[in-house]
Amino acid sequence: EPEVTQTPSHQVTQMGQEVILRCVPISNHLYFYWYRQILGQKVEFLVSFYNNEISEKSEIFDDQFSVERPDGSNFTLKIRSTKLEDSAMYFCASSEAEEGIQYFGAGTRLSVL
Amino acid sequence: AQTVTQSQPEMSVQEAETVTLSCTYDTSESNYYLFWYKQPPSRQMILVIRQEAYKQQNATENRFSVNFQKAAKSFSLKISDSQLGDTAMYFCAFMKPYSGNTPLVFGKGTRLSVIA
């Protein structure tokens, strides 16, 4: 069964460093999402992406964040200069249709020291 | 803005018993979707069940069913004949349609443990 793949499963970085979280969505899906979950808190929406551009973004998704689909398979989330409060689990999701079911990856745990 | 509340941080149930997880939400929309997602330990979230608000009939998926009370803005999940593999974090989520790439709004989750 096709699934969304995220790498790495755990990323440790120093404050101020840039990180790139990678996702391979399901191959025929057209809509892509990033969510994050700070420990003990809700899963929060960051950004959605369609047709090579951002469709919607939350207040969390500030200038430190960017997303890209560099090729036909990968979907990346870049945090330019990480802060301690960026430590969280980051989930990638994809869907086939605009209101379709979103399929999630297993997440990347980002630890900022 | 929509909010989703799951008031039970943790629950446990004996194998083969029935358990109900609670979820309430707040919205001014009349049409929307509601979901239950399951996240087993160290695994990705998978969809358990989906309900469309304009459908009065409660969604059912094998041992999983919902009790959707639109007026009360309540969307509980019932798991019948609980199995050890049902041990997971369960998230209730809301989606407002027709707003571009429609993000999900999640509750904080309920950690369910099925005990042998």
PDB file of all heavy atoms in Angstrom, chain A residues 36-60:
ATOM      1  N   ARG A  36       2.753  20.311  12.545  1.00  0.00           N
ATOM      2  CA  ARG A  36       3.716  20.017  13.596  1.00  0.00           C
ATOM      3  C   ARG A  36       2.972  19.791  14.910  1.00  0.00           C
ATOM      4  O   ARG A  36       1.843  20.250  15.106  1.00  0.00           O
ATOM      5  CB  ARG A  36       4.732  21.132  13.749  1.00  0.00           C
ATOM      6  CG  ARG A  36       4.241  22.337  14.518  1.00  0.00           C
ATOM      7  CD  ARG A  36       5.337  23.298  14.842  1.00  0.00           C
ATOM      8  NE  ARG A  36       4.846  24.351  15.710  1.00  0.00           N
ATOM      9  CZ  ARG A  36       5.517  25.445  15.990  1.00  0.00           C
ATOM     10  NH1 ARG A  36       6.745  25.657  15.484  1.00  0.00           N
ATOM     11  NH2 ARG A  36       5.007  26.351  16.790  1.00  0.00           N
ATOM     12  N   GLN A  37       3.652  19.074  15.805  1.00  0.00           N
ATOM     13  CA  GLN A  37       3.095  18.809  17.127  1.00  0.00           C
ATOM     14  C   GLN A  37       4.192  19.010  18.152  1.00  0.00           C
ATOM     15  O   GLN A  37       5.124  18.194  18.245  1.00  0.00           O
ATOM     16  CB  GLN A  37       2.517  17.405  17.217  1.00  0.00           C
ATOM     17  CG  GLN A  37       1.833  17.135  18.542  1.00  0.00           C
ATOM     18  CD  GLN A  37       1.295  15.727  18.633  1.00  0.00           C
ATOM     19  OE1 GLN A  37       1.818  14.802  18.019  1.00  0.00           O
ATOM     20  NE2 GLN A  37       0.228  15.546  19.394  1.00  0.00           N
ATOM     21  N   ILE A  38       4.080  20.084  18.909  1.00  0.00           N
ATOM     22  CA  ILE A  38       4.961  20.274  20.054  1.00  0.00           C
ATOM     23  C   ILE A  38       4.525  19.298  21.136  1.00  0.00           C
ATOM     24  O   ILE A  38       3.329  19.039  21.296  1.00  0.00           O
ATOM     25  CB  ILE A  38       4.908  21.737  20.545  1.00  0.00           C
ATOM     26  CG1 ILE A  38       5.462  22.658  19.446  1.00  0.00           C
ATOM     27  CG2 ILE A  38       5.656  21.922  21.844  1.00  0.00           C
ATOM     28  CD1 ILE A  38       5.284  24.124  19.716  1.00  0.00           C
ATOM     29  N   LEU A  39       5.494  18.755  21.854  1.00  0.00           N
ATOM     30  CA  LEU A  39       5.216  17.708  22.848  1.00  0.00           C
ATOM     31  C   LEU A  39       4.104  18.131  23.798  1.00  0.00           C
ATOM     32  O   LEU A  39       4.168  19.187  24.420  1.00  0.00           O
ATOM     33  CB  LEU A  39       6.499  17.400  23.625  1.00  0.00           C
ATOM     34  CG  LEU A  39       6.429  16.212  24.573  1.00  0.00           C
ATOM     35  CD1 LEU A  39       6.203  14.919  23.788  1.00  0.00           C
ATOM     36  CD2 LEU A  39       7.697  16.102  25.406  1.00  0.00           C
ATOM     37  N   GLY A  40       3.085  17.283  23.860  1.00  0.00           N
ATOM     38  CA  GLY A  40       1.989  17.532  24.782  1.00  0.00           C
ATOM     39  C   GLY A  40       0.921  18.478  24.263  1.00  0.00           C
ATOM     40  O   GLY A  40      -0.049  18.749  24.962  1.00  0.00           O
ATOM     41  N   GLN A  41       1.113  18.964  23.037  1.00  0.00           N
ATOM     42  CA  GLN A  41       0.154  19.910  22.483  1.00  0.00           C
ATOM     43  C   GLN A  41      -0.524  19.323  21.242  1.00  0.00           C
ATOM     44  O   GLN A  41      -0.271  18.207  20.850  1.00  0.00           O
ATOM     45  CB  GLN A  41       0.847  21.236  22.174  1.00  0.00           C
ATOM     46  CG  GLN A  41       1.434  21.910  23.399  1.00  0.00           C
ATOM     47  CD  GLN A  41       1.978  23.283  23.110  1.00  0.00           C
ATOM     48  OE1 GLN A  41       1.554  23.949  22.162  1.00  0.00           O
ATOM     49  NE2 GLN A  41       2.912  23.727  23.929  1.00  0.00           N
ATOM     50  N   LYS A  42      -1.395  20.125  20.657  1.00  0.00           N
ATOM     51  CA  LYS A  42      -2.159  19.667  19.504  1.00  0.00           C
ATOM     52  C   LYS A  42      -1.293  19.606  18.245  1.00  0.00           C
ATOM     53  O   LYS A  42      -0.304  20.319  18.132  1.00  0.00           O
ATOM     54  CB  LYS A  42      -3.319  20.633  19.215  1.00  0.00           C
ATOM     55  CG  LYS A  42      -4.331  20.739  20.305  1.00  0.00           C
ATOM     56  CD  LYS A  42      -5.489  21.634  19.885  1.00  0.00           C
ATOM     57  CE  LYS A  42      -6.523  21.701  20.986  1.00  0.00           C
ATOM     58  NZ  LYS A  42      -7.755  22.396  20.551  1.00  0.00           N
ATOM     59  N   VAL A  43      -1.727  18.784  17.326  1.00  0.00           N
ATOM     60  CA  VAL A  43      -1.163  18.815  15.977  1.00  0.00           C
ATOM     61  C   VAL A  43      -1.671  20.099  15.310  1.00  0.00           C
ATOM     62  O   VAL A  43      -2.874  20.355  15.279  1.00  0.00           O
ATOM     63  CB  VAL A  43      -1.600  17.585  15.165  1.00  0.00           C
ATOM     64  CG1 VAL A  43      -1.084  17.678  13.739  1.00  0.00           C
ATOM     65  CG2 VAL A  43      -1.121  16.310  15.834  1.00  0.00           C
ATOM     66  N   GLU A  44      -0.730  20.910  14.802  1.00  0.00           N
ATOM     67  CA  GLU A  44      -1.092  22.227  14.239  1.00  0.00           C
ATOM     68  C   GLU A  44      -0.709  22.290  12.764  1.00  0.00           C
ATOM     69  O   GLU A  44       0.378  21.850  12.364  1.00  0.00           O
ATOM     70  CB  GLU A  44      -0.331  23.335  14.961  1.00  0.00           C
ATOM     71  CG  GLU A  44      -0.571  23.422  16.452  1.00  0.00           C
ATOM     72  CD  GLU A  44       0.380  24.400  17.098  1.00  0.00           C
ATOM     73  OE1 GLU A  44       1.588  24.095  17.158  1.00  0.00           O
ATOM     74  OE2 GLU A  44      -0.080  25.478  17.529  1.00  0.00           O
ATOM     75  N   PHE A  45      -1.558  22.883  11.997  1.00  0.00           N
ATOM     76  CA  PHE A  45      -1.314  23.083  10.571  1.00  0.00           C
ATOM     77  C   PHE A  45      -0.243  24.144  10.355  1.00  0.00           C
ATOM     78  O   PHE A  45      -0.239  25.190  11.018  1.00  0.00           O
ATOM     79  CB  PHE A  45      -2.621  23.515   9.909  1.00  0.00           C
ATOM     80  CG  PHE A  45      -2.472  24.028   8.505  1.00  0.00           C
ATOM     81  CD1 PHE A  45      -2.197  23.164   7.456  1.00  0.00           C
ATOM     82  CD2 PHE A  45      -2.624  25.379   8.232  1.00  0.00           C
ATOM     83  CE1 PHE A  45      -2.068  23.642   6.163  1.00  0.00           C
ATOM     84  CE2 PHE A  45      -2.510  25.859   6.947  1.00  0.00           C
ATOM     85  CZ  PHE A  45      -2.230  24.991   5.909  1.00  0.00           C
ATOM     86  N   LEU A  46       0.678  23.866   9.444  1.00  0.00           N
ATOM     87  CA  LEU A  46       1.687  24.858   9.071  1.00  0.00           C
ATOM     88  C   LEU A  46       1.396  25.445   7.686  1.00  0.00           C
ATOM     89  O   LEU A  46       1.272  26.658   7.534  1.00  0.00           O
ATOM     90  CB  LEU A  46       3.074  24.211   9.040  1.00  0.00           C
ATOM     91  CG  LEU A  46       3.676  23.779  10.371  1.00  0.00           C
ATOM     92  CD1 LEU A  46       5.027  23.119  10.150  1.00  0.00           C
ATOM     93  CD2 LEU A  46       3.815  24.952  11.314  1.00  0.00           C
ATOM     94  N   VAL A  47       1.293  24.567   6.676  1.00  0.00           N
ATOM     95  CA  VAL A  47       1.229  25.061   5.310  1.00  0.00           C
ATOM     96  C   VAL A  47       0.639  23.996   4.404  1.00  0.00           C
ATOM     97  O   VAL A  47       0.768  22.795   4.662  1.00  0.00           O
ATOM     98  CB  VAL A  47       2.655  25.455   4.842  1.00  0.00           C
ATOM     99  CG1 VAL A  47       3.558  24.226   4.763  1.00  0.00           C
ATOM    100  CG2 VAL A  47       2.647  26.220   3.535  1.00  0.00           C
ATOM    101  N   SER A  48      -0.028  24.448   3.363  1.00  0.00           N
ATOM    102  CA  SER A  48      -0.486  23.548   2.306  1.00  0.00           C
ATOM    103  C   SER A  48       0.066  24.033   0.973  1.00  0.00           C
ATOM    104  O   SER A  48       0.348  25.221   0.795  1.00  0.00           O
ATOM    105  CB  SER A  48      -2.003  23.447   2.277  1.00  0.00           C
ATOM    106  OG  SER A  48      -2.575  24.733   2.096  1.00  0.00           O
ATOM    107  N   PHE A  49       0.183  23.109   0.036  1.00  0.00           N
ATOM    108  CA  PHE A  49       0.931  23.369  -1.194  1.00  0.00           C
ATOM    109  C   PHE A  49       0.249  22.642  -2.333  1.00  0.00           C
ATOM    110  O   PHE A  49      -0.086  21.462  -2.214  1.00  0.00           O
ATOM    111  CB  PHE A  49       2.346  22.828  -0.982  1.00  0.00           C
ATOM    112  CG  PHE A  49       3.368  23.208  -2.012  1.00  0.00           C
ATOM    113  CD1 PHE A  49       4.067  24.390  -1.895  1.00  0.00           C
ATOM    114  CD2 PHE A  49       3.679  22.360  -3.064  1.00  0.00           C
ATOM    115  CE1 PHE A  49       5.045  24.729  -2.820  1.00  0.00           C
ATOM    116  CE2 PHE A  49       4.641  22.689  -3.999  1.00  0.00           C
ATOM    117  CZ  PHE A  49       5.339  23.876  -3.872  1.00  0.00           C
ATOM    118  N   TYR A  50       0.041  23.365  -3.428  1.00  0.00           N
ATOM    119  CA  TYR A  50      -0.579  22.771  -4.599  1.00  0.00           C
ATOM    120  C   TYR A  50      -0.082  23.478  -5.843  1.00  0.00           C
ATOM    121  O   TYR A  50       0.069  24.712  -5.842  1.00  0.00           O
ATOM    122  CB  TYR A  50      -2.114  22.873  -4.504  1.00  0.00           C
ATOM    123  CG  TYR A  50      -2.839  22.514  -5.778  1.00  0.00           C
ATOM    124  CD1 TYR A  50      -2.870  21.204  -6.221  1.00  0.00           C
ATOM    125  CD2 TYR A  50      -3.461  23.495  -6.550  1.00  0.00           C
ATOM    126  CE1 TYR A  50      -3.523  20.869  -7.396  1.00  0.00           C
ATOM    127  CE2 TYR A  50      -4.113  23.173  -7.726  1.00  0.00           C
ATOM    128  CZ  TYR A  50      -4.152  21.858  -8.150  1.00  0.00           C
ATOM    129  OH  TYR A  50      -4.797  21.528  -9.312  1.00  0.00           O
ATOM    130  N   ASN A  51       0.185  22.723  -6.877  1.00  0.00           N
ATOM    131  CA  ASN A  51       0.581  23.302  -8.160  1.00  0.00           C
ATOM    132  C   ASN A  51       1.799  24.208  -8.004  1.00  0.00           C
ATOM    133  O   ASN A  51       1.858  25.313  -8.557  1.00  0.00           O
ATOM    134  CB  ASN A  51      -0.596  24.067  -8.763  1.00  0.00           C
ATOM    135  CG  ASN A  51      -0.450  24.284 -10.253  1.00  0.00           C
ATOM    136  OD1 ASN A  51       0.212  23.511 -10.945  1.00  0.00           O
ATOM    137  ND2 ASN A  51      -1.042  25.351 -10.757  1.00  0.00           N
ATOM    138  N   ASN A  52       2.741  23.734  -7.211  1.00  0.00           N
ATOM    139  CA  ASN A  52       4.016  24.412  -7.000  1.00  0.00           C
ATOM    140  C   ASN A  52       3.927  25.760  -6.307  1.00  0.00           C
ATOM    141  O   ASN A  52       4.826  26.604  -6.479  1.00  0.00           O
ATOM    142  CB  ASN A  52       4.774  24.565  -8.325  1.00  0.00           C
ATOM    143  CG  ASN A  52       5.447  23.279  -8.740  1.00  0.00           C
ATOM    144  OD1 ASN A  52       6.010  22.579  -7.901  1.00  0.00           O
ATOM    145  ND2 ASN A  52       5.378  22.956 -10.005  1.00  0.00           N
ATOM    146  N   GLU A  53       2.870  25.946  -5.551  1.00  0.00           N
ATOM    147  CA  GLU A  53       2.824  27.162  -4.759  1.00  0.00           C
ATOM    148  C   GLU A  53       2.045  26.932  -3.469  1.00  0.00           C
ATOM    149  O   GLU A  53       1.250  26.006  -3.369  1.00  0.00           O
ATOM    150  CB  GLU A  53       2.240  28.327  -5.547  1.00  0.00           C
ATOM    151  CG  GLU A  53       0.838  28.124  -6.061  1.00  0.00           C
ATOM    152  CD  GLU A  53       0.389  29.309  -6.890  1.00  0.00           C
ATOM    153  OE1 GLU A  53       1.237  29.961  -7.552  1.00  0.00           O
ATOM    154  OE2 GLU A  53      -0.807  29.604  -6.871  1.00  0.00           O
ATOM    155  N   ILE A  54       2.311  27.797  -2.492  1.00  0.00           N
ATOM    156  CA  ILE A  54       1.624  27.700  -1.215  1.00  0.00           C
ATOM    157  C   ILE A  54       0.168  28.100  -1.408  1.00  0.00           C
ATOM    158  O   ILE A  54      -0.139  29.129  -1.996  1.00  0.00           O
ATOM    159  CB  ILE A  54       2.303  28.606  -0.171  1.00  0.00           C
ATOM    160  CG1 ILE A  54       3.681  28.033   0.196  1.00  0.00           C
ATOM    161  CG2 ILE A  54       1.440  28.744   1.071  1.00  0.00           C
ATOM    162  CD1 ILE A  54       4.500  28.939   1.088  1.00  0.00           C
ATOM    163  N   SER A  55      -0.739  27.249  -0.908  1.00  0.00           N
ATOM    164  CA  SER A  55      -2.168  27.544  -0.973  1.00  0.00           C
ATOM    165  C   SER A  55      -2.640  28.280   0.268  1.00  0.00           C
ATOM    166  O   SER A  55      -3.442  29.197   0.206  1.00  0.00           O
ATOM    167  CB  SER A  55      -2.971  26.254  -1.113  1.00  0.00           C
ATOM    168  OG  SER A  55      -2.569  25.535  -2.240  1.00  0.00           O
ATOM    169  N   GLU A  56      -2.167  27.818   1.387  1.00  0.00           N
ATOM    170  CA  GLU A  56      -2.594  28.389   2.657  1.00  0.00           C
ATOM    171  C   GLU A  56      -1.475  28.189   3.668  1.00  0.00           C
ATOM    172  O   GLU A  56      -0.747  27.202   3.604  1.00  0.00           O
ATOM    173  CB  GLU A  56      -3.880  27.697   3.132  1.00  0.00           C
ATOM    174  CG  GLU A  56      -4.577  28.380   4.283  1.00  0.00           C
ATOM    175  CD  GLU A  56      -5.975  27.795   4.532  1.00  0.00           C
ATOM    176  OE1 GLU A  56      -6.526  27.135   3.624  1.00  0.00           O
ATOM    177  OE2 GLU A  56      -6.494  28.011   5.636  1.00  0.00           O
ATOM    178  N   LYS A  57      -1.329  29.118   4.592  1.00  0.00           N
ATOM    179  CA  LYS A  57      -0.337  28.962   5.646  1.00  0.00           C
ATOM    180  C   LYS A  57      -0.880  29.522   6.942  1.00  0.00           C
ATOM    181  O   LYS A  57      -1.724  30.406   6.942  1.00  0.00           O
ATOM    182  CB  LYS A  57       0.992  29.618   5.281  1.00  0.00           C
ATOM    183  CG  LYS A  57       0.891  31.110   5.009  1.00  0.00           C
ATOM    184  CD  LYS A  57       2.250  31.645   4.591  1.00  0.00           C
ATOM    185  CE  LYS A  57       2.176  33.150   4.340  1.00  0.00           C
ATOM    186  NZ  LYS A  57       3.491  33.712   3.945  1.00  0.00           N
ATOM    187  N   SER A  58      -0.392  28.988   8.036  1.00  0.00           N
ATOM    188  CA  SER A  58      -0.842  29.442   9.338  1.00  0.00           C
ATOM    189  C   SER A  58       0.082  30.543   9.846  1.00  0.00           C
ATOM    190  O   SER A  58       1.124  30.838   9.260  1.00  0.00           O
ATOM    191  CB  SER A  58      -0.871  28.272  10.317  1.00  0.00           C
ATOM    192  OG  SER A  58       0.454  27.887  10.638  1.00  0.00           O
ATOM    193  N   GLU A  59      -0.302  31.098  10.986  1.00  0.00           N
ATOM    194  CA  GLU A  59       0.515  32.152  11.604  1.00  0.00           C
ATOM    195  C   GLU A  59       1.884  31.626  12.021  1.00  0.00           C
ATOM    196  O   GLU A  59       2.837  32.386  12.136  1.00  0.00           O
ATOM    197  CB  GLU A  59      -0.216  32.711  12.830  1.00  0.00           C
ATOM    198  CG  GLU A  59      -1.476  33.485  12.478  1.00  0.00           C
ATOM    199  CD  GLU A  59      -2.224  33.932  13.723  1.00  0.00           C
ATOM    200  OE1 GLU A  59      -1.845  33.530  14.841  1.00  0.00           O
ATOM    201  OE2 GLU A  59      -3.200  34.687  13.569  1.00  0.00           O
ATOM    202  N   ILE A  60       1.956  30.327  12.266  1.00  0.00           N
ATOM    203  CA  ILE A  60       3.225  29.733  12.679  1.00  0.00           C
ATOM    204  C   ILE A  60       4.241  29.814  11.541  1.00  0.00           C
ATOM    205  O   ILE A  60       5.436  29.968  11.754  1.00  0.00           O
ATOM    206  CB  ILE A  60       3.022  28.253  13.072  1.00  0.00           C
ATOM    207  CG1 ILE A  60       1.984  28.128  14.173  1.00  0.00           C
ATOM    208  CG2 ILE A  60       4.334  27.613  13.483  1.00  0.00           C
ATOM    209  CD1 ILE A  60       1.533  26.683  14.380  1.00  0.00           C
TER     210      ILE A  60
END
